[in-house]
Amino acid sequence: MRMKPKTADKIATVVIVILALFIVVLLLGLLGFILFRGIGQINWHFLTSAPQLLKGGGGIGPQLFNSIFLLVLTLIITIPLGWGGGIYMAEYAKPGRITSFIRLVVEVLSSFPSIVIGLFGLLLIVNTFGLGFSLLSGAMALAIFNLPLMVRTTEQAFRAVPKEQKEAGLALGLSKWKIITSILLPVALPSLITGTILASGRIFGEAAALMFTAGMSSPPLDFTDWNPTSPRSPINPLRPAETLAVHIWKVNSEGIGPDSKEVAAGASAVLVILVLAFNLSARWIGRVVYRRMTASK
């Protein structure tokens, strides 16, 4: 017996709604479990003090700062390259073998496991380039890791802009670069910010690639020394830096302190809160910038 179209539509709608609710419940359950375990460990001392290896009472201050500083360095490298590559693929690249090859390279690069990117960074950036285990090495490795996502997101954002807006700019005699910066970019900006947010979330949570590039330890930091060439300066990009994600893995696997489980739970909660706060603030900033650039309410 053939099912009626309205009945099939209702069944499909119910199934889709159930799947969507399952995803939401799964996400809320995961976040709730992590926050429930670790929220009680979070205080000012925990967020600012250095970790303790053999005794309890340590914190995640250096690791938290390293994660934020690494995010800034990575975005400084990734945004110009990713946005530039996406704009080229969307507006300048002509259909052909070269363009198809570039797109294939981007797709293949996006499928590489992070551990492979880490080993590549270890061989090329750390050893061959001589940068050693450092924040800059980690930022360069994560830039390679995130470039495919940034390029694809940028290309799709520019291709999604209605052709009528581009044709209106051409009719007014505007140059191609002027059309990109004044017409296409403001419309594509929300999607660009979304892609940047996704890339940033991967930066916060990445551990495998950073173990081989940024290192698994941090020197004692002097937050009164802001000379970027000083080995103990927090803004020195050439110093080793253990990030929060690496610290969580290290504490869970090698922690011998009496409160290692509590530290790992608290650090996990901080990482989740950091990612959520960054996502929400970045989306708010994106809406504000979009309204100002397009003069919309």
Side-chain angles (χ1 to χ4, degrees):
M1 183 176 180
R2 190 174 180 180
M3 187 179 298
K4 295 182 179 180
K6 290 185 178 180
T7 304
D9 180 70
K10 290 180 180 180
I11 294 175
T13 302
V14 171
V15 172
I16 292 173
V17 170
I18 291 175
L19 292 176
L21 290 176
F22 174 76
I23 294 174
V24 172
V25 171
L26 183 64
L27 176 62
L28 293 178
L30 179 62
L31 294 178
F33 176 75
I34 295 174
L35 294 176
F36 177 77
R37 288 187 59 206
I39 199 72
Q41 308 297 325
I42 302 175
N43 52 53
W44 183 249
H45 174 77
F46 182 75
L47 295 176
T48 57
S49 62
Q52 300 291 337
L53 297 178
L54 301 178
K55 59 181 181 179
I60 57 170
Q63 287 75 20
L64 181 59
F65 179 84
N66 290 339
S67 297
I68 298 174
F69 189 32
L70 180 66
L71 170 68
V72 174
L73 289 178
T74 306
L75 291 182
I76 289 175
I77 300 173
T78 306
I79 289 178
L81 294 176
W83 288 15
I87 292 173
Y88 170 78
M89 295 297 293
E91 301 298 326
Y92 290 95
K94 297 180 180 180
R97 293 183 178 180
I98 297 178
T99 302
S100 299
F101 177 74
I102 294 175
R103 187 168 283 110
L104 176 63
V105 170
V106 172
E107 294 295 334
V108 171
L109 189 60
S110 66
S111 64
F112 276 4
S114 59
I115 190 70
V116 175
I117 301 296
L119 291 173
F120 173 79
L122 175 65
L123 295 174
L124 183 66
I125 302 172
V126 176
N127 295 331
T128 304
F129 291 169
L131 294 179
F133 293 106
S134 63
L135 280 162
L136 185 58
S137 298
M140 293 175 69
L142 289 182
I144 298 173
F145 186 65
N146 283 321
L147 269 178
L149 176 62
M150 295 287 285
V151 171
R152 287 204 310 268
T153 303
T154 304
E155 181 183 2
Q156 293 171 2
F158 273 79
R159 291 189 183 278
V161 178
K163 292 183 178 180
E164 291 77 8
Q165 298 191 23
K166 183 178 179 180
E167 292 172 352
L170 293 173
L172 292 173
L174 300 178
S175 64
K176 196 165 190 177
W177 180 246
K178 185 66 175 178
I179 292 174
I180 291 173
T181 55
S182 300
I183 298 177
L184 301 182
L185 182 60
V187 179
L189 190 61
S191 298
L192 295 180
I193 293 177
T194 300
T196 304
I197 292 170
L198 292 174
S200 302
R202 299 174 78 185
I203 294 170
F204 275 124
E206 183 54 45
L210 295 177
M211 289 190 294
F212 295 100
T213 52
M216 298 176 60
S217 63
S218 296
L221 299 181
D222 182 5
F223 283 91
T224 63
D225 182 6
W226 296 99
N227 180 7
T229 62
S230 175
R232 295 186 61 184
S233 173
I235 61 173
N236 181 1
L238 298 178
R239 64 174 176 84
E242 180 186 40
T243 61
L244 197 56
V246 175
H247 183 65
I248 294 171
W249 173 85
K250 188 176 179 180
V251 170
N252 271 319
S253 60
E254 303 177 1
I256 57 177
D259 60 346
S260 58
K261 292 184 179 180
E262 289 77 8
V263 170
S268 301
V270 171
L271 186 60
V272 168
I273 294 173
L274 198 62
V275 172
L276 291 175
F278 182 82
N279 277 286
L280 294 175
S281 61
R283 291 180 184 277
W284 176 77
I285 293 173
R287 287 196 295 268
V288 171
V289 173
Y290 174 74
R291 290 170 182 171
R292 292 195 176 186
M293 293 185 69
T294 59
S296 61
K297 295 182 180 180

